[in-house]
């Protein structure tokens, strides 16, 4: 497998580039230790420049930085030209909170555990040793509370471990919610909603606690004696006529660029850029200590920052090619996640088969797919994000939900309304996982259109005397408001993204279909804080004309945002989306009613 390192304008920033960007900005703005670097990432070049780029052309590199000043609480966006070694833009972004950063989680836990108010509240519960107390920081959200305005707040949730390796989520310290000012790393108040005893049982899953593993599994080995069939050149991947580029950033994690498919002597473009743009996990418990519980794992924390370093034989099996994630900590130091992105081929069973029953002649083609994935740990939960590329030209996206369910404690004998009893005195709260994937489409070029496709029954009449008729119907979606749609599985509703200027062999516009899988809509009230902030999830389909600034379905600054940002804001302009450069946003998700089998 030839591996070269051809540079490209869309390559993620290298460690050296991150260091240089931080150094240039620190010197230029005289930034001291009061600042945290939420983002140091590639400032993606103009699409036109990327499309015109050919190998060997000079490349201009820019970094986009988001900086939080803990003293003033102000947030700044900066652009640093790495080519010219200077700051080209420095802008105060008023009224926003950057994502909660990795270092803040650890510092927040320390602040809570050493706070006298918290220690007193623990003592009321008979807990005197804070060493085994576990504190998870969640964004405090935005509930229009005047005293919280302008503050950078975390809501902490606490658990009690029995040993350092114990699964802490087995014993929630119910009703105890420290509220922390993250700019000053100080506990503002400790909300105490009354004592609920710790659940009695352990919930341990680690190997050291498992006495009896199954012993009847024989080895299953995946061997590719001639190596994998993909080729990698720098961040470019080619496989079975597919070609694409790999990107990685702190917010979205894996980004795919320039996805195309080889047809005879040319590569036909399909998507310019594809990534998971946002997600939200609303929880259904309305009680005072639980109504704030929801998580925008991308906009509030960043799934790139939380990406795992993957292990061969565990996370991925077979002939694996890994890409590293090059990120940074909140002080601007380079933080490398080795093996952050896994790429491999999978046998995917049958692709096609036919037997000619007269001759007995059989033809079979097996299916193989290229898998690109990464896994993020967000507190208790794990998300596995998988892009699949198939030999028949189809692309699939899958998210695997795993990890540990969130828990809360119950009084003995209590049956939870907003959850499921998963162990004695332990509630697995009801919640949803709602995602949005942003697909910057480029079917055979940048100018595309979208149609809704449905199969409809035909009314009885002269053309349908027996009443058996049904047929596919295509409706053009021409503006942003018309393209806000929800799924309808009973009509086989899907959306066709086509290029009106190019035809396939049958004279139809060349196109891709966006086919919904299992899906749902948000269950919280339409005016609930979490729905206003996560309005992207209220429609399964959105289409916008391309704008380089519009990358995040719930807006760039989701943490403590009052709502209305992102898709609902941009689409108010009701711009035309006909035969132009468009971006398709697909929201999808599920409702998770915890089961005892989910625990631990
Ligand atoms: Cu879940």
């Amino acid at each position: 497998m030839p591996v070269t390192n051809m540079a490209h304008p869309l390559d993620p920033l290298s460690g050296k580039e991150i260091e240089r960007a931080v150094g240039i900005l620190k010197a230029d703005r005289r930034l001291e230790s009061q600042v945290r670097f939420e983002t140091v990432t590639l400032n993606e070049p103009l699409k036109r420049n990327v499309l015109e780029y050919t190998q060997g052309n000079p490349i201009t590199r820019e970094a986009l930085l988001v900086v939080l000043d803990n003293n003033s609480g102000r947030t700044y966006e900066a652009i640093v030209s790495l080519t010219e070694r200077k700051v080209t833009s420095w802008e105060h972004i008023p009224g926003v909170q950057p994502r909660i950063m990795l270092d803040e989680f650890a510092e927040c836990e320390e602040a809570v555990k050493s706070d006298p108010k918290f220690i007193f509240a623990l003592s009321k519960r008979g807990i005197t040793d804070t060493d085994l107390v576990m504190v998870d920081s969640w964004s405090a959200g935005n509930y229009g509370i005047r005293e919280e305005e302008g503050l950078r707040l975390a809501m902490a949730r606490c658990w009690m471990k029995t040993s350092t390796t114990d699964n802490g989520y087995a014993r929630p310290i119910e009703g105890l919610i420290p509220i922390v000012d993250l700019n000053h790393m100080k506990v503002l108040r400790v909300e105490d909603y009354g004592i609920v005893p710790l659940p009695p049982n352990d919930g341990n899953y680690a190997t050291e606690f498992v006495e009896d593993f199954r012993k009847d599994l024989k080895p299953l080995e995946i061997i590719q004696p001639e190596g994998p069939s993909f080729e990698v050149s720098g961040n470019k991947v080619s496989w079975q006529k597919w070609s694409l580029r790999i990107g990685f950033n702190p917010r979205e994690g894996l980004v795919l660029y320039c996805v195309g498919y080889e047809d005879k002597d040319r590569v036909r473009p399909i998507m310019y850029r594809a990534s998971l743009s946002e997600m939200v996990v609303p929880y259904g418990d309305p009680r005072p200590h639980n109504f704030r519980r929801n998580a925008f794992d991308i906009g509030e924390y960043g799934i790139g920052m939380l990406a795992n370093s993957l292990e061969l034989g565990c996370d991925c099996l077979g002939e694996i090619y890994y890409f590293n994630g090059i990120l940074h900590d909140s002080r601007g130091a380079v933080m490398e996640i080795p093996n952050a992105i896994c790429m491999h081929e999978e046998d995917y069973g049958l692709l096609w088969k036919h037997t000619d029953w007269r001759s007995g002649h059989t033809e079979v083609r097996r299916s193989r797919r290229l898998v690109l994935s990464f896994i993020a740990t967000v507190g208790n939960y794990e998300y596995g994000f998988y892009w699949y590329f198939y030999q028949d030209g189809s692309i699939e996206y899958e998210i695997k939900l795993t990890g540990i369910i969130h828990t809360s404690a119950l009084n003995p004998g209590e049956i939870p309304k907003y959850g499921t009893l998963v162990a004695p005195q332990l509630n697995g709260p009801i919640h949803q996982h709602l995602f949005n994937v942003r697909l910057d489409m480029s079917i055979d070029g940048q100018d595309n259109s979208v149609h809704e496709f449905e199969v409809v029954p035909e009314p009885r009449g002269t053309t349908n005397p027996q009443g058996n008729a049904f047929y596919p119907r295509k409706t053009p979606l021409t503006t942003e408001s018309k393209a806000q749609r929800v799924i309808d599985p009973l009509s086989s509703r899907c959306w066709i993204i086509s290029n009106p200027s190019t035809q396939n062999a049958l004279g139809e516009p060349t196109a891709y279909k966006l086919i919904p899988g299992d899906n749902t809509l948000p269950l919280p009230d339409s005016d609930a804080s979490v729905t206003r902030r996560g309005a992207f999830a209220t429609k399964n389909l959105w289409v916008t004309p391309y704008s380089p600034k519009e990358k995040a379905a719930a807006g760039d600054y989701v943490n403590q945002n009052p709502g209305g940002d992102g898709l609902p804001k941009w689409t108010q302009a009701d711009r035309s989306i006909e035969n132009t450069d468009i971006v398709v946003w697909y929201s999808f998700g599920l409702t998770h009613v915890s089961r005892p089998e989910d625990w631990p």
Side-chain angles (χ1 to χ4, degrees):
M1 173 179 37
V3 179
T4 54
N5 273 312
M6 292 312 301
H8 186 274
L10 290 171
D11 285 348
L13 294 189
S14 67
K16 279 210 170 81
E17 287 177 313
I18 289 174
E19 264 171 23
R20 198 185 307 154
V22 169
I24 292 169
L25 187 66
K26 271 185 171 172
D28 185 85
R29 304 304 308 181
R30 295 194 187 83
L31 302 179
E32 308 286 342
S33 62
Q34 81 279 11
V35 300
R36 290 185 193 265
F37 291 82
E38 183 233 42
T39 293
V40 185
T41 196
L42 174 73
N43 191 40
E44 291 181 18
L46 290 175
K47 189 191 274 194
R48 185 177 21 135
N49 295 355
V50 174
L51 295 173
E52 283 169 4
Y53 173 80
T54 51
Q55 206 173 303
N57 287 4
I59 297 174
T60 310
R61 298 284 278 171
E62 283 184 346
L64 168 70
L65 297 92
V66 178
V67 175
L68 168 69
D69 184 325
N70 282 145
N71 287 350
S72 65
R74 287 156 78 96
T75 300
Y76 299 89
E77 272 183 18
I79 297 186
V80 170
S81 166
L82 293 161
T83 314
E84 295 171 32
R85 294 179 180 258
K86 66 174 191 191
V87 179
T88 56
S89 161
W90 171 260
E91 190 187 351
H92 172 226
I93 312 293
V96 301
Q97 292 296 341
R99 297 186 309 268
I100 298 182
M101 294 163 248
L102 273 183
D103 323 35
E104 289 181 299
F105 288 118
E107 292 171 36
C108 182
E109 178 162 33
E110 281 314 302
V112 168
K113 286 166 73 163
S114 57
D115 178 71
K117 301 183 286 298
F118 183 67
I119 292 169
F120 177 67
L122 286 180
S123 72
K124 287 201 283 184
R125 289 163 168 81
I127 300 169
T128 51
D129 179 7
T130 58
D131 282 355
L132 293 173
V133 171
M134 197 172 92
V135 180
D136 281 0
S137 316
W138 291 49
S139 166
N142 188 316
Y143 296 86
I145 300 166
R146 189 168 303 161
E147 307 85 75
E148 296 186 352
E149 249 170 54
L151 297 177
R152 178 168 177 78
L153 293 181
M155 157 195 83
R157 301 197 72 101
C158 312
W159 285 266
M160 189 66 207
K161 296 201 280 189
T162 56
S163 70
T164 50
T165 55
D166 180 46
N167 173 12
Y169 295 109
R171 293 188 180 85
I173 305 174
E174 192 66 17
L176 192 59
I177 315 280
I179 304 289
V180 183
D181 176 340
L182 292 178
N183 274 328
H184 301 100
M185 260 331 147
K186 269 172 71 175
V187 177
L188 288 184
R189 62 178 188 273
V190 175
E191 298 180 358
D192 194 336
Y193 296 91
I195 297 169
V196 178
L198 295 175
N201 291 1
D202 291 337
N204 285 313
Y205 52 83
T207 313
E208 63 176 288
F209 297 104
V210 180
E211 284 166 6
D212 195 21
F213 273 105
R214 295 182 190 190
K215 294 175 186 71
D216 52 349
L217 270 188
K218 309 261 189 305
L220 188 157
E221 282 169 14
I222 295 163
I223 298 161
Q224 295 184 272
E226 294 173 36
S229 312
F230 51 73
E231 285 186 12
V232 183
S233 167
N235 283 287
K236 187 183 178 197
V237 173
S238 326
W239 178 81
Q240 283 285 290
K241 297 184 186 288
W242 285 103
S243 64
L244 52 92
R245 302 198 67 88
I246 303 292
F248 192 80
N249 68 48
R251 189 178 205 282
E252 305 162 287
L254 175 61
V255 179
L256 304 181
Y257 298 107
C258 305
V259 177
Y261 196 84
E262 191 188 313
D263 183 8
K264 302 188 183 80
D265 54 351
R266 66 194 173 117
V267 173
R268 296 174 59 181
I270 297 167
M271 293 193 290
Y272 177 74
R273 189 185 191 279
S275 68
L276 191 72
S277 93
E278 192 49 84
M279 54 176 288
V280 57
V281 185
Y283 282 79
D285 187 337
R287 293 175 298 167
H289 61 301
N290 282 332
F291 72 85
R292 278 183 193 247
R293 187 159 54 184
N294 58 64
F296 290 76
D297 301 65
I298 295 181
E300 289 177 340
Y301 310 109
I303 51 172
M305 276 294 173
L306 300 170
N308 292 184
S309 189
L310 300 173
E311 267 180 61
L312 185 63
C314 305
D315 302 296
C316 336
L317 197 58
E319 281 287 327
I320 309 295
Y321 187 94
Y322 292 106
F323 295 88
N324 297 337
I326 315 285
L327 301 174
H328 56 89
D329 66 16
S330 87
R331 299 303 174 190
V334 175
M335 182 184 91
E336 182 162 348
I337 305 175
N339 300 351
I341 301 163
C342 164
M343 178 169 74
H344 70 285
E345 294 173 275
E346 277 177 6
D347 178 277
Y348 195 58
L350 193 66
L351 174 62
W352 174 85
K353 174 169 185 167
H354 182 61
T355 299
D356 182 333
W357 64 268
R358 287 186 176 82
S359 67
H361 180 76
T362 298
E363 291 277 339
V364 184
R365 308 285 182 272
R366 282 202 75 75
S367 178
R368 202 185 290 190
R369 65 183 184 185
L370 180 72
V371 187
L372 279 150
S373 67
F374 78 106
I375 299 172
T377 300
V378 193
N380 54 300
Y381 233 82
E382 259 80 7
Y383 294 95
F385 305 98
Y386 297 79
W387 287 99
Y388 302 114
F389 293 87
Y390 293 91
Q391 291 163 305
D392 61 1
S394 54
I395 305 168
E396 189 181 14
Y397 186 61
E398 180 183 40
I399 302 179
K400 297 182 184 178
L401 282 61
T402 180
I404 308 286
I405 54 169
H406 204 262
T407 52
S408 54
L410 299 163
N411 282 304
E414 189 183 346
I415 299 296
K417 176 177 177 185
Y418 306 105
T420 309
L421 190 67
V422 296
Q425 293 169 237
L426 194 67
N427 178 23
I430 194 161
H431 59 278
Q432 298 187 288
H433 300 265
L434 306 168
F435 306 91
N436 182 276
V437 70
R438 179 185 182 274
L439 306 169
D440 182 348
M441 301 302 296
S442 57
I443 307 291
D444 276 329
Q446 300 310 309
D447 291 347
N448 290 172
S449 293
V450 181
H451 288 75
E452 182 160 280
F453 176 96
E454 290 169 299
V455 179
V456 291
E458 183 164 322
R460 260 180 196 265
T462 48
T463 59
N464 182 26
Q466 301 300 328
N468 65 302
F470 54 92
Y471 64 99
R473 184 177 67 190
K474 269 167 58 173
T475 313
L477 305 177
T478 52
T479 63
E480 288 181 299
S481 63
K482 286 182 182 147
Q484 291 172 20
R485 305 295 295 159
V486 297
I487 56 158
D488 180 9
L490 298 182
S491 76
S492 306
R493 184 178 290 171
C494 59
W495 297 287
I496 296 175
I497 301 112
S498 64
N499 186 327
S501 314
T502 59
Q503 270 119 45
N504 66 16
L506 300 169
E508 292 284 325
T510 54
Y512 259 77
K513 245 184 200 173
L514 172 60
I515 302 174
D518 290 349
N519 208 340
T520 190
L521 290 171
L523 288 165
D525 186 74
S526 61
D527 196 37
S529 167
V530 67
T531 317
R532 278 187 275 117
R533 299 175 59 211
F536 67 86
T538 61
K539 305 287 176 194
N540 299 116
L541 182 81
W542 305 72
V543 184
T544 56
Y546 170 75
S547 164
K549 288 268 178 213
E550 297 174 5
K551 286 224 180 75
D556 288 338
Y557 295 94
V558 175
N559 189 15
Q560 296 182 259
N561 187 303
D565 257 1
L567 285 168
K569 186 169 156 188
W570 310 322
T571 55
Q572 273 174 19
D574 203 14
R575 297 166 291 187
S576 167
I577 50 163
E578 218 177 353
N579 197 12
T580 187
D581 190 357
I582 54 168
V583 176
V584 172
W585 311 72
Y586 179 63
S587 304
F588 57 104
L590 62 97
T591 301
H592 186 173
V593 184
S594 301
R595 307 166 300 169
E597 291 81 358
D598 292 345
W599 176 257

